[in-house]
Amino acid sequence: MSDHYDVLICGGGTAGLTVAAQLLNNETPPSVGIIEPSDKHYYQPLWTLVGAGVFPKEDSQRDEKDYIPAGADWIKDRVSSFNPDSNSVTLESGKTVSYGHLVVAMGIQINWNGIPGLMDVLGKPGTGVCSNYSYETVDSTWNTIRALKSGRAIFTEPITGVKCGGAPQKIMYLTEDHLRKQGLRDRCEVIFCNAKAKHFSCDHYTPTLLNICETRGIDVRPQTELIEIRGGSNEAVFRKHETNEEVVLSYDMLHVTPPMGPLDLIKDSPLGNDAGWVDVDQHSLRHVRYDNIFALGDCSSLPTSKTGAAIRKQAPTAVANILADRAGQPATAAYDGYTSCPVVTGYGKLVLAEFDYTKGPCESFPFDQNKERYSMYMLKAYALPRMYWHGMLKGRM
Ligand SMILES: Cc1cc2nc3c(=O)[nH]c(=O)nc-3n(C[C@H](O)[C@H](O)[C@H](O)COP(=O)(O)OP(=O)(O)OC[C@H]3O[C@@H](n4cnc5c(N)ncnc54)[C@H](O)[C@@H]3O)c2cc1C
């Protein structure tokens, strides 16, 4: 490990590894250091299908060391503070590393304790409370779905932004489909309690998704926020935003998408905006106050849906602008807000939503993506994971 890098990357997740690989694929690569504490890297988009029993969770996990690109130094430590005025970062070990350019790619914070009572029951056998939102709890989802023979299944979405805006409802469609296939659908109620007013962030796809809910008898309750879990009595407490009334619902299955937000470390640093996200220009990905700092992925202030697919388009922009700076050229690369959400609507069915800052559709295929398709399900389940491990993380796309 050196004490200075041309480009220092904080976070070796989806965004950090992709940027590192692309920088090092360049003909005259800069020196690159990646600060990442974890031994493992996860392909999180697979967790939807892990939770639905399609894949074992081990398929989503690889060793971090195998994805640190050749030529980069892996600094196995944790960032503890940013010192942008002295172009350096302090690590938990007490060391300081300086940089020419800094890339912040540290993901989102999941606030599991934001729902009182959740941690008492989450993922524990027999409680019925599960979540796809971590490697540790994702198999509790499939165990819960399998055990459900009758009663009420509730799926929640918090008021905060979440990574992959469609994921809270994907697992609901899969559970409903599973119940139908098992001949149990008539014995179960399926309810989607969404704290947000909107069913989906891109209006173009909303009628299709709401129509699926209506056809399949899913009870959609917008502006209904999970505020507490009473595990002892299998009850979930919700606040209805329109009336401010509290409603208590009993459950047999409760899939929780927990509230999320910016990392405390970023919020409390000079890099954060008022909300706590790394404050970058939405097109250049350059920090609005510090010229040599870039951010992308879930930790950034980019006003688009937080997905790995978005990072696939953000990374080349950040890399091109950093390399242009280093060459003394104008940095003109611009990101258009592209993001994609493969909304799995059942086993073998998927609506591939793709949109950008305009919130208009921005589709890749020469057919109408605004309908459920088997081919798009196969893309998500089999092609995208391969493209991720062998293409994106290797800086090839
Ligand atoms: C259930 C689920 C389903 C999803 N489905 C999809 C999908 O279908 N399609 C899609 O495109 N996306 C999907 N996503 C979203 C996608 O996985 C994320 O948007 C993406 O992984 C974010 O990448 P990132 O690099 O910003 O953060 P991460 O990949 O989370 O990486 C952040 C890294 O920063 C590191 N870090 C944290 N703190 C520190 C510190 N102090 N110092 C140093 N390093 C630190 C972490 O260890 C981590 O490795 C899904 C996510 C989930 C959970």
Side-chain angles (χ1 to χ4, degrees):
M1 170 187 154
S2 160
D3 56 9
H4 179 88
Y5 291 91
D6 295 333
V7 183
L8 182 63
I9 300 175
C10 301
T14 303
L17 289 176
T18 305
V19 165
Q22 290 187 9
L23 284 168
L24 288 157
N25 283 350
N26 201 258
E27 271 177 18
T28 47
S31 62
V32 174
I34 305 172
I35 307 166
E36 169 59 54
S38 175
D39 281 324
K40 301 290 179 193
H41 178 81
Y42 302 98
Y43 178 57
Q44 301 168 39
L46 204 70
W47 292 348
T48 293
L49 295 176
V50 172
V54 180
F55 295 109
K57 71 175 180 179
E58 290 74 16
D59 283 10
S60 71
Q61 179 190 256
R62 301 273 169 98
D63 288 335
E64 179 79 15
K65 69 174 167 44
D66 295 335
Y67 291 87
I68 300 285
D73 278 357
W74 178 11
I75 304 164
K76 196 166 177 308
D77 207 327
R78 191 175 276 279
V79 176
S80 67
S81 65
F82 297 98
N83 322 309
D85 294 322
S86 59
N87 295 323
S88 71
V89 159
T90 305
L91 308 179
E92 214 168 58
S93 60
K95 289 183 189 134
T96 294
V97 189
S98 62
Y99 55 79
H101 281 85
L102 184 74
V103 176
V104 188
M106 285 162 51
I108 201 167
Q109 181 167 294
I110 299 199
N111 295 320
W112 297 104
N113 290 315
I115 306 290
L118 173 61
M119 292 314 287
D120 299 334
V121 283
L122 177 64
K124 296 193 179 142
T127 62
V129 181
C130 54
S131 180
N132 278 357
Y133 268 89
S134 79
Y135 186 74
E136 290 70 33
T137 59
V138 64
D139 42 10
S140 71
T141 304
W142 178 230
N143 291 337
T144 306
I145 294 173
R146 275 193 298 184
L148 183 67
K149 304 294 176 209
S150 63
R152 181 180 283 158
I154 304 178
F155 298 81
T156 73
E157 178 167 341
I159 193 70
T160 66
V162 297
K163 48 181 156 186
C164 193
Q169 55 186 286
K170 294 177 195 176
I171 190 62
M172 170 188 71
Y173 298 123
L174 284 157
T175 305
E176 196 275 341
D177 198 20
H178 169 83
L179 293 170
R180 204 168 278 277
K181 288 189 161 65
Q182 297 301 308
L184 299 169
R185 185 63 183 90
D186 291 347
R187 294 195 222 156
C188 298
E189 252 184 292
V190 178
I191 306 180
F192 183 46
C193 291
N194 183 358
K196 299 176 182 100
K198 279 186 162 208
H199 187 68
F200 190 67
S201 49
C202 177
D203 292 344
H204 179 72
Y205 300 98
T206 302
T208 303
L209 297 173
L210 283 175
N211 186 43
I212 291 168
C213 292
E214 196 181 329
T215 317
R216 288 164 55 179
I218 296 171
D219 177 355
V220 177
R221 302 189 186 184
Q223 300 193 69
T224 304
E225 180 170 15
L226 176 67
I227 55 168
E228 188 190 339
I229 297 173
R230 300 175 184 155
S233 52
N234 280 34
E235 287 175 324
V237 185
F238 295 89
R239 175 169 298 119
K240 292 184 76 68
H241 289 174
E242 275 177 309
T243 55
N244 211 24
E245 162 201 7
E246 278 188 17
V247 176
V248 179
L249 294 177
S250 62
Y251 59 81
D252 296 278
M253 168 175 181
L254 179 65
H255 178 274
V256 179
T257 299
M260 301 179 204
L263 270 68
D264 293 335
L265 173 64
I266 293 174
K267 211 189 310 177
D268 300 338
S269 81
L271 304 191
N273 64 9
D274 289 345
W277 307 106
V278 186
D279 202 358
V280 290
D281 176 81
Q282 69 177 54
H283 297 296
S284 68
L285 315 189
R286 191 190 293 278
H287 199 277
V288 297
R289 294 182 294 282
Y290 303 102
D291 266 3
N292 60 343
I293 298 183
F294 287 77
L296 72 166
D298 293 356
C299 70
S300 70
S301 62
L302 299 172
T304 193
S305 186
K306 296 181 184 300
T307 64
I311 292 167
R312 188 165 67 81
K313 299 282 189 177
Q314 292 162 9
T317 304
V319 167
N321 286 339
I322 291 170
L323 293 174
D325 278 2
R326 288 179 47 74
Q329 309 281 335
T332 54
Y335 168 64
D336 63 3
Y338 172 88
T339 190
S340 161
C341 188
V343 188
V344 187
T345 52
Y347 293 87
K349 288 184 276 188
L350 186 147
V351 174
L352 182 61
E354 293 183 282
F355 48 99
D356 58 18
Y357 285 142
T358 67
K359 292 277 161 116
C362 188
E363 301 185 337
S364 302
F365 293 94
F367 47 69
D368 180 10
Q369 290 178 209
N370 199 2
K371 66 194 251 198
E372 293 174 288
R373 289 181 182 274
Y374 177 70
S375 58
M376 296 295 95
Y377 177 88
M378 297 306 277
L379 175 80
K380 171 164 177 76
Y382 299 102
L384 291 178
R386 283 174 180 75
M387 285 162 68
Y388 183 75
W389 296 115
H390 304 299
M392 186 167 158
L393 292 193
K394 300 290 179 186
R396 296 194 188 112
M397 47 186 294

